Amino acid sequence: MSESSLRVVWVYPDLLSTYGDRGNALVVERRARQRHLNVTRIDVRSDQAVPTSGDIYLIGGGEDRPQRLAAERLRNDSGLIRASENGAIIFGVCAGFQIMGHEFVNDLGEREPGLGLLDVWTTRGEGARCVGDVLADVNPRLGLPQLTGFENHQGVTHLGQGVQPMATVVAGRGNGTGDGTEGAWRDTVFGTYLHGPVLARNPAVADMLIKLALDVNALPPADTTWYDALRAERIAATTRPA
């Protein structure tokens, strides 16, 4: 890939795009264009093959049945797995995060195989759903500012030895395990429960994905006025006493 081009793949918008998660693709595209990069965004519906030549793959959240259908089709297609093997950047949210693990509980109450791109597995929580705004301190190795987002899930995602948590919650439930972890990451594969859309609330994460795809340590500066205002508003709302 040349330094002037970027292929962003939005996976299954017809199945996995709740809470405005399509905005993640729009933000990555926008942040790249602000740096005068030539960006091609590819929206891949569930009846289409997932290309293996993308640079950044984004997967959103979805309800239980669409999540099961998406997992089945991604396993049968194998394009996303091969893209990961080729070193592509993959970022999944909520249902997309669960699908990237070893297994999750589907709408039939059965254990559904995932793609095995992350060493995580998801069970169904017995208590109240994890719902509300989240603040989380990012894993220091990622060098990112505090995360802000919105969670709404019943899943409890357990992390294996092959991954690290993406962040530690300050407010909210995160992975739902009670240990404060939020999300997971390994090399160029990332998962989180945060909607918002999460990349609009956290443009530094979008920039990190672009840097990884371009294999550069820094990007030219870009206007963050709108993003900063959104971040400040949501962080203030989350930290305001009830």
Side-chain angles (χ1 to χ4, degrees):
M1 185 188 71
S2 72
E3 290 188 356
S4 61
S5 64
L6 195 70
R7 289 168 57 89
V8 178
V9 182
W10 177 227
V11 179
Y12 293 179
D14 54 328
L15 294 178
L16 302 174
S17 189
T18 59
Y19 292 114
D21 288 334
R22 178 174 175 268
N24 291 327
L26 298 176
V27 169
V28 171
E29 184 178 15
R30 171 63 177 166
R31 299 294 289 173
R33 292 193 188 283
Q34 286 182 298
R35 278 58 180 250
H36 306 291
L37 296 171
N38 180 23
V39 185
T40 300
R41 197 183 89 226
I42 305 167
D43 292 358
V44 181
R45 294 178 59 86
S46 58
D47 60 351
Q48 299 174 313
V50 177
T52 61
S53 58
D55 302 304
I56 299 174
Y57 292 76
L58 301 167
I59 315 171
E63 297 180 354
D64 290 350
R65 185 172 183 274
Q67 179 182 7
R68 171 168 57 87
L69 295 176
E72 290 175 352
R73 294 176 187 185
L74 287 171
R75 290 196 308 270
N76 292 334
D77 176 88
S78 79
L80 189 63
I81 295 174
R82 285 183 286 139
S84 177
E85 293 171 346
N86 292 337
I89 316 304
I90 301 176
F91 187 86
V93 172
C94 203
F97 174 26
Q98 294 181 5
I99 288 172
M100 291 194 296
H102 298 302
E103 66 178 30
F104 60 92
V105 179
N106 64 24
D107 59 309
L108 304 175
E110 301 169 344
R111 293 160 61 180
E112 180 79 25
L115 303 181
L117 300 180
L118 285 172
D119 184 16
V120 305
W121 65 98
T122 302
T123 58
R124 181 158 294 176
E126 299 298 329
R129 289 180 67 85
C130 301
V131 181
D133 276 298
V134 175
L135 286 179
D137 293 330
V138 181
N139 191 314
R141 292 187 59 185
L142 294 175
L144 296 172
Q146 193 175 56
L147 285 180
T148 169
F150 178 83
E151 63 181 352
N152 185 354
H153 61 95
Q154 191 70 41
V156 175
T157 298
H158 308 267
L159 275 55
Q161 295 184 353
V163 297
Q164 295 188 52
M166 188 170 174
T168 302
V169 294
V170 175
R173 302 273 296 281
N175 292 333
T177 54
D179 61 0
T181 60
E182 204 300 305
W185 71 283
R186 173 191 63 81
D187 298 330
T188 59
V189 182
F190 302 83
T192 179
Y193 272 112
L194 301 188
H195 301 279
V198 65
L199 298 186
R201 291 200 190 190
N202 304 277
V205 179
D207 290 351
M208 176 190 70
L209 302 180
I210 296 171
K211 286 188 290 185
L212 287 171
L214 297 176
D215 193 21
V216 298
N217 293 323
L219 295 172
D223 181 23
T224 61
T225 303
W226 182 87
Y227 302 95
D228 291 342
L230 175 62
R231 279 181 58 80
E233 173 191 307
R234 298 319 308 158
I235 290 173
T238 304
T239 57
R240 186 181 301 128

